[in-house]
Each structure stands twice: as C-alpha cells, then as structure tokens.
Amino acid sequence: MAATVPSSPTAARKAFGADIRRRRDDRDLTAAEVAVVIGCSTSKVTRIETGQRSANPDDFEALMDLFQVPDTDRTHLEALFKRGRKRTTMWWDAYGDVLSSKYVEFIRYEHEAAGVFDYQVVYVPALLQTEEYARAVTGVGFAALGPDQIDSLVEVKMRRQRRIHEDEDLRFSGVITQAALEFHVGGRVVQAAQLRHLRAMMELPNIDLRVIPFSKGADGTQTGAFSTFTNEGQESPEAAFAEAVTGTVFVDDALGLRRLHRLSTYLAGAALSADESLDLIEQTERKLASA
C-alpha cells in the first residue's frame, strides 16, 4: 500500500525532512557535507530536515541524486515535496498587485528569521523608518507607480516593522554610514523626525544600530546595501539579498553567505559603538534643528 501524503503543507514538509535526515544519517554525512554537494548553506539543509522550510526544485533533484533514491521512494517523496510547497495565506498576499516575486521572497525570509542584519549606505534601514521617511524613499524608488501603489508599498513596510515590537526574540543589527544621517530624505522636517525615531528605536533591547562616520573613509563604502537572515541558534546567515545595478540579488550559496557574513562583521567593526553612534545621531539632529 502506498504511503499517504499529509494534507497539511507543514506536516508534509516535516515528513519529507525526516526522510531526508534518515537517509543522511544512513550515509553518515553531516548537514554541512550535504550543503556543499547541493550548493546551499548548512542551515538551509537543517531547516529542510526539520520542516521549517521547503526545498526548491533544484534542491529536490540534487537530494534525490545524492541519496540515490529509488523510483518507488522518489514518487512518494515528490508528492511530499509538492505538498510541502503549498503555501498558506500570509499577510503580504493581500498586496500581491504591487509586490514583485523577489520582494515576496525577501519578506518571507525576514518574517521567519531570528536575526536580521541590514547594511545601508544612504538610507535608514527599512525596519527603522518612519512612515513619512518610508513614503519619501518609496516615491523616489518607484517613481513610475501611482499614489495608491505607493501607499500600498508603504503599508507593507510598516507591516514588516511589527515584528520589531511584537517579537522580542527577533534580533535586528544594522550598520549605516553617516551619509544616511545627513541626506535630507523628504526634507529637513522628515529627516529630523526620522533621527528622533532612530534614537527611540535604539533603546529597544533587540535593536543594535551602528554608524560608520565619514572619518572612516573607504571602510564604510566597501559594498552596496545588503541584508542577511539568520535562524535561531545559527551564527552564519541562511540567506541574503544584495542590491546591484540590475536589481536585488538573492544569495543562498555557502560561499556567498560566508563572504557576506565576513563583510558584515568587518562593517560592524568599522562602525562606532552603539553609544558613539547615538551621540552622532543626536549631533546631526541638533545641526538640522539649528540650520
């Protein structure tokens, strides 16, 4: 009799992951060794095995080949795989008319992450923006969109920020350059309010924001903006998104993630301490008020 496939996507992911874990153990392989073979991070393999996330089609084929799964077993595993990829409705689904597939993928990783690191050169990180600042940024970045679409994108950004306040287990670390403090995004009044908001957010226990001052020179301009997402108990990120001239680039290969992890550590080391960063933000705010 053929094994049944759970109707729940979560149960199907767990069943698929447990089978993959058993096959890995049977071959005496580590999750890191499997990750190298299929070209992803160790944490991604771990999350697939625990059912926390689904494999993608390339992962599935690579796992089937690695474990030399016979056709009889493969048919059942493919059914679990497909069921596990069925999604339940999430809050961002209501904004499908304005969200690109890449942005949806970004939001999904952000939603599931235990740790978020964000490096920004000229803007304040999205999770720390005021609504007025977010509207100014969105209006520039999406100039071809109409007012209603911009409103929706700002709503999405505000909705993303709820985890900062509602989930104390979420750890946010950010590094920005002094330029992000100096640019008058939305005008002086909006920028001043944004700086006050930054100071308030930095008082939260799960927020760590650092500023790389102009005096550091090239240390603060090593790369463009990027974000990384880390799972509970993991030091290295599971996935990352980096800004490029042609658009946002998704990174989940082991080598790329190691490089971005080292880069984030370097940038944090080049930045001022949290207290020194707060002082610089206050100085910039006072300068705005007196101008």
Side-chain angles (χ1 to χ4, degrees):
M1 174 185 267
T4 58
V5 176
S7 59
S8 163
T10 300
R13 285 196 301 271
K14 289 183 177 180
F16 178 83
D19 187 285
I20 295 300
R21 173 61 186 269
R22 177 181 59 78
R23 293 175 192 275
R24 176 169 69 79
D25 288 343
D26 288 345
R27 282 173 167 70
D28 198 26
L29 295 173
T30 66
E33 289 170 332
V34 172
V36 170
V37 173
I38 69 175
C40 71
S41 65
T42 302
S43 62
K44 182 178 182 181
V45 172
T46 301
R47 296 193 79 195
I48 288 173
E49 291 182 347
T50 57
Q52 291 179 285
R53 67 162 298 169
S54 61
N56 63 40
D58 289 340
D59 297 333
F60 176 80
E61 294 296 336
L63 288 168
M64 296 301 101
D65 290 342
L66 172 62
F67 297 124
Q68 298 178 334
V69 178
D71 290 343
T72 52
D73 290 349
R74 181 184 174 117
T75 298
H76 176 63
L77 286 175
E78 188 169 13
L80 289 175
F81 161 71
K82 290 180 177 179
R83 177 70 69 181
R85 286 175 62 81
K86 297 290 186 181
R87 291 183 55 245
T88 54
T89 301
M90 304 299 291
W91 66 261
W92 54 82
D93 291 329
Y95 298 91
D97 59 326
V98 294
L99 298 181
S100 67
S101 59
K102 187 72 71 175
Y103 194 7
V104 168
E105 189 173 24
F106 180 97
I107 294 173
R108 185 178 298 117
Y109 274 101
E110 184 181 74
H111 177 75
E112 296 176 351
V116 175
F117 175 85
D118 195 8
Y119 170 66
Q120 295 291 329
V121 183
V122 296
Y123 290 131
V124 167
L127 293 182
L128 305 182
Q129 293 177 5
T130 65
E131 184 173 346
E132 293 77 10
Y133 185 100
R135 188 174 301 281
V137 171
T138 304
V140 171
F142 296 90
L145 298 182
D148 290 343
Q149 292 169 308
I150 291 176
D151 286 346
S152 294
L153 288 169
V154 172
E155 286 179 17
V156 168
K157 192 173 290 187
M158 295 300 102
R159 181 62 180 81
R160 286 169 51 200
Q161 293 181 4
R162 290 188 188 178
R163 280 199 69 203
I164 291 286
H165 302 281
E166 297 174 354
D167 186 355
E168 294 182 355
D169 292 331
L170 172 65
R171 305 180 310 279
F172 175 85
S173 300
V175 173
I176 60 176
T177 72
Q178 189 174 349
L181 306 180
E182 297 285 352
F183 279 120
H184 298 168
V185 176
R188 290 179 179 273
V189 173
V190 171
Q191 182 70 14
Q194 176 62 70
L195 296 181
R196 288 195 297 274
H197 181 68
L198 273 187
R199 291 194 290 108
M201 294 297 287
M202 290 171 71
E203 295 179 1
L204 298 177
N206 55 336
I207 300 291
D208 181 13
L209 180 68
R210 310 293 178 95
V211 181
I212 300 178
F214 288 144
S215 60
K216 284 289 186 175
D219 286 340
T221 56
Q222 292 292 313
T223 184
F226 67 92
S227 302
T228 65
F229 303 112
T230 308
N231 297 321
E232 188 64 43
Q234 301 286 339
E235 291 187 4
S236 297
E238 178 203 17
F241 291 79
E243 292 185 11
V245 175
T246 55
T248 303
V249 178
F250 173 60
V251 181
D252 71 342
D253 64 283
L255 179 59
L257 291 173
R258 285 198 300 272
R259 287 175 174 170
L260 286 176
H261 182 55
R262 287 196 299 269
L263 183 56
S264 63
T265 301
Y266 173 84
L267 291 167
L272 300 171
S273 68
D275 288 341
E276 291 170 332
S277 296
L278 184 59
D279 288 342
L280 181 56
I281 293 172
E282 289 177 329
Q283 291 170 21
T284 308
E285 186 183 342
R286 288 197 297 270
K287 184 170 66 175
L288 264 177
S290 62

